[in-house]
Amino acid sequence: MNLKTNLLFIALLLLSIVVQCVLGNFPFAFFAFPLDVLLALLWIGGMVYMYKEKRFSQVVRLWLSPQCTYWTLGWLLAGCLIIGLFPQLSVQETAEKSGIFSRLGCYNFMSSWIFVMGLFGLLTHLGMITLKRGFLPGRNRWRFVLNHAGLWLALFAGFIGSAEEQTLRIPVFRDSPNNEAFTEKGTKVFLPKSLQLTDFTVEHYPNGSPRHFSAEVSVGGQPVHLEVNHPYAANWAEDYYLTSYDVQSPQPQYCVVQIVREPLKHLMWLGIVMMLCGSALLFLAGPDRRRMTSN
């Protein structure tokens, strides 16, 4: 089994390197929400089917083996080491790089096929061992299941969600509505709703520097109050932040609103809550008395 596990992961590593060199970084835009959630459900369903119907097959035993743990954790740690050693650049900056390290995606490694393939292996292994413990009898299994299923969900949603996260900036004028926002790359994006500044309030320190400012903004005809560090939740995946304003005028004629879109943030929070619940159950259960008695 160890030999087959080693051969499998060596093959996956070589395959990811070849695909990375030929195709470039992983196409996250193609697997955008909600396709990623659908694929995750199919992935989970496939793991459940394999464990329930094929649990004694060599494939399932391979993904449950300790050797698989060593490979998946080692792959992840190596990926984190590369991310720490190489500067992580934007897509435009990465395109200007050349050489073998650029071909391997080292300058934007979290989006490389090598890192994605390693994370896929880790999540598959984590999912299989969670299912194995979940199907065993006993109430204590829920501590394990909550911890590991929460970790699976947080890793999946955090990684995929960060790749899908979009940040827009839009100038909001007092005299006319505007729906033209800009990405961090400078690309123009037209919003479905126009924004217009209706009122702006600034509080100053004695030296004249701004201490606090807030804005009343009309979003598609709906009044919205914005303050620094107090975002407005437009919907479950989109938040509006007030970032700056017209400092040249005593009565600001515009402000700048930052729009952050994170479609999977609530799934990541759910995973974190599950891990906290599992840790709380582990703490409340206390030490393993059977192990202490045997010692």
Side-chain angles (χ1 to χ4, degrees), residues 9-213:
F9 278 93
I10 291 173
L12 289 176
L13 179 59
L14 294 177
L15 177 62
S16 64
I17 292 174
V18 171
V19 174
Q20 175 66 32
C21 292
V22 174
L23 300 180
N25 281 13
F26 187 82
F28 281 106
F30 178 78
F31 296 95
F33 179 83
L35 181 59
D36 50 6
V37 176
L38 177 61
L39 292 175
L41 293 176
L42 293 175
W43 185 9
I44 295 172
M47 288 191 292
V48 172
Y49 171 79
M50 287 298 295
Y51 185 79
K52 290 187 66 176
E53 305 297 333
K54 310 287 184 181
R55 72 177 65 181
F56 299 111
S57 66
Q58 290 189 354
V59 174
V60 174
R61 290 169 55 201
L62 184 150
W63 284 105
L64 290 172
S65 65
Q67 195 74 6
C68 185
T69 304
Y70 305 147
W71 266 103
T72 53
L73 290 180
W75 197 324
L76 180 65
L77 291 175
C80 294
L81 182 62
I82 291 175
I83 292 173
L85 292 176
F86 290 86
Q88 300 302 293
L89 308 176
S90 64
V91 177
Q92 293 84 353
E93 293 172 326
T94 303
E96 299 174 359
K97 293 286 185 178
S98 59
I100 183 63
F101 295 121
S102 177
R103 295 288 299 275
L104 292 175
C106 295
Y107 298 104
N108 194 358
F109 198 67
M110 286 187 66
S111 298
S112 69
W113 281 91
I114 302 172
F115 189 86
V116 171
M117 190 79 76
L119 184 65
F120 171 80
L122 175 63
L123 291 176
T124 302
H125 175 60
L126 186 61
M128 294 301 290
I129 61 176
T130 303
L131 289 171
K132 178 183 178 180
R133 188 65 179 91
F135 280 108
L136 292 177
R139 292 182 300 175
N140 291 338
R141 70 183 188 275
W142 295 114
R143 297 176 295 179
F144 185 95
V145 170
L146 282 173
N147 272 312
H148 288 72
L151 178 60
W152 191 99
L153 191 59
L155 283 174
F156 175 82
F159 178 72
I160 300 298
S162 64
E164 287 192 358
E165 180 180 327
Q166 184 182 39
T167 301
L168 305 173
R169 286 180 176 267
I170 178 172
V172 183
F173 302 102
R174 188 185 292 271
D175 56 356
S176 62
N178 181 36
N179 71 332
E180 296 182 2
F182 297 88
T183 67
E184 295 175 315
K185 304 175 185 177
T187 305
K188 184 182 295 186
V189 176
F190 291 95
L191 302 178
K193 297 181 180 180
S194 297
L195 281 70
Q196 185 172 2
L197 180 65
T198 58
D199 193 19
F200 199 91
T201 304
V202 187
E203 298 177 7
H204 296 87
Y205 288 107
N207 62 4
S209 60
R211 182 173 67 88
H212 179 268
F213 52 91

